[in-house]
Amino acid sequence: MQSDSALRLVWIYPDLLSTYGDQGNVLVLEQRAQRRGIPVETVHVRSADPVPESGDIYLIGGGEDRPQILASERLRRDGGLHRAIQRGAALLAVCAGYQIMGTTFGGEEGQPVDGIGLIDISSGRGQGRAVGELAGEADPALGIPTLTGFENHMGVTRLGAGIRPLARTAVGVGNGDGTEGCYTGKIVGTYLHGPALARNPGLADLLLTWAVGAQLPPIDDAWFDRLREERLAAVLPH
Ligand code: GLN
């Protein structure tokens, strides 16, 4: 981000991938940036339109199989997200959006569908649908609290060498191998659905820090901390 300009958020394809209240992630980033005095400009990019390359943080959400396949085709053809990431932009990709970032994912009948190949992950179909609470300790290198949220997907995801899991799964399925999500460079992928940043402000601040290139003043997150403790007490095996 250039120091004299606004932080640019780009929400990709809300017309295709916004099934789970994904706009919440955009709102949380806007709020947490503005509370630090950082001006924000947000662009909603519909799937008929080109993805601008000048964003600082890109967001893509979750959705059903057909819109996911369409989104993957259009993003691959467009190429704007690839170029933005090469420029150093950050990305939060949730569920269907997460799977799209890889080389392949499972279609409606489990058939392999091409992803956009932005990162070295691949997804297929699990035995059943993973629906319910998802929680786990974030990679200690990220310095953020335990992640909590909700998942609803069929996909299982394998991470290639050099791609680190976002968290170790304590409750729920996540990637399907005891890990949840991934991160590499300034990219975060996660099965934490919808407005995951509203439950996990530490993850929001991680993206903002990457985009701004500096530490941010803390915000009083006591309510979020209480919510996390409550949820963990409710869902962790006793
Ligand atoms: N269609 C994908 C799956 O079932 C993604 C679902 C979603 O985004 N919730 O795995």
Side-chain angles (χ1 to χ4, degrees):
M1 177 193 170
Q2 288 156 18
S3 57
D4 57 340
S5 58
L7 179 77
R8 283 153 304 183
L9 306 182
V10 181
W11 186 21
I12 299 173
Y13 299 171
D15 54 330
L16 294 179
L17 297 177
S18 178
T19 305
Y20 304 90
D22 296 87
Q23 188 171 7
N25 290 327
V26 181
L27 298 174
V28 171
L29 289 177
E30 285 174 348
Q31 283 277 325
R32 294 184 75 85
Q34 284 162 353
R35 286 177 67 181
R36 271 74 171 240
I38 302 168
V40 179
E41 276 169 19
T42 302
V43 185
H44 295 185
V45 183
R46 293 178 67 81
S47 58
D49 296 328
V51 176
E53 296 166 32
S54 59
D56 296 304
I57 305 179
Y58 290 73
L59 299 105
I60 183 165
E64 288 152 18
D65 296 337
R66 286 190 180 190
Q68 180 181 16
I69 293 169
L70 201 55
S72 184
E73 281 168 16
R74 292 192 177 178
L75 267 185
R76 204 173 40 246
R77 209 169 336 123
D78 179 83
L81 179 61
H82 270 95
R83 291 190 288 275
I85 297 299
Q86 274 161 12
R87 262 194 39 250
L91 167 68
L92 174 69
V94 170
C95 199
Y98 169 38
Q99 296 173 359
I100 285 175
M101 297 305 138
T103 50
T104 182
F105 60 90
E108 301 124 286
E109 309 295 336
Q111 77 279 18
V113 175
D114 285 343
I116 69 166
L118 188 66
I119 55 176
D120 181 16
I121 62 167
S122 60
S123 302
R125 292 250 144 174
Q127 295 298 325
R129 199 161 186 90
V131 186
E133 301 282 341
L134 174 59
E137 203 176 310
D139 185 325
L142 295 173
I144 59 175
T146 301
L147 298 167
T148 71
F150 192 81
E151 64 184 338
N152 181 356
H153 59 103
M154 287 282 289
V156 291
T157 298
R158 203 164 33 80
L159 311 187
I163 311 278
R164 296 181 64 96
L166 183 63
R168 198 145 293 289
T169 313
V171 179
V173 176
N175 292 327
D177 63 354
T179 69
E180 145 47 23
C182 81
Y183 74 97
T184 178
K186 296 183 192 168
I187 298 174
V188 170
T190 182
Y191 276 114
L192 290 167
H193 268 52
L197 300 184
R199 288 269 291 262
N200 302 285
L203 196 53
D205 282 0
L206 185 69
L207 291 160
L208 289 172
T209 305
W210 285 345
V212 172
Q215 285 304 313
L216 300 167
I219 289 178
D220 178 3
D221 284 328
W223 282 102
F224 295 99
D225 295 339
R226 270 181 63 182
L227 176 62
R228 180 184 325 103
E229 295 314 316
E230 260 181 48
R231 292 316 305 151
L232 288 174
V235 302
L236 282 178
H238 295 290

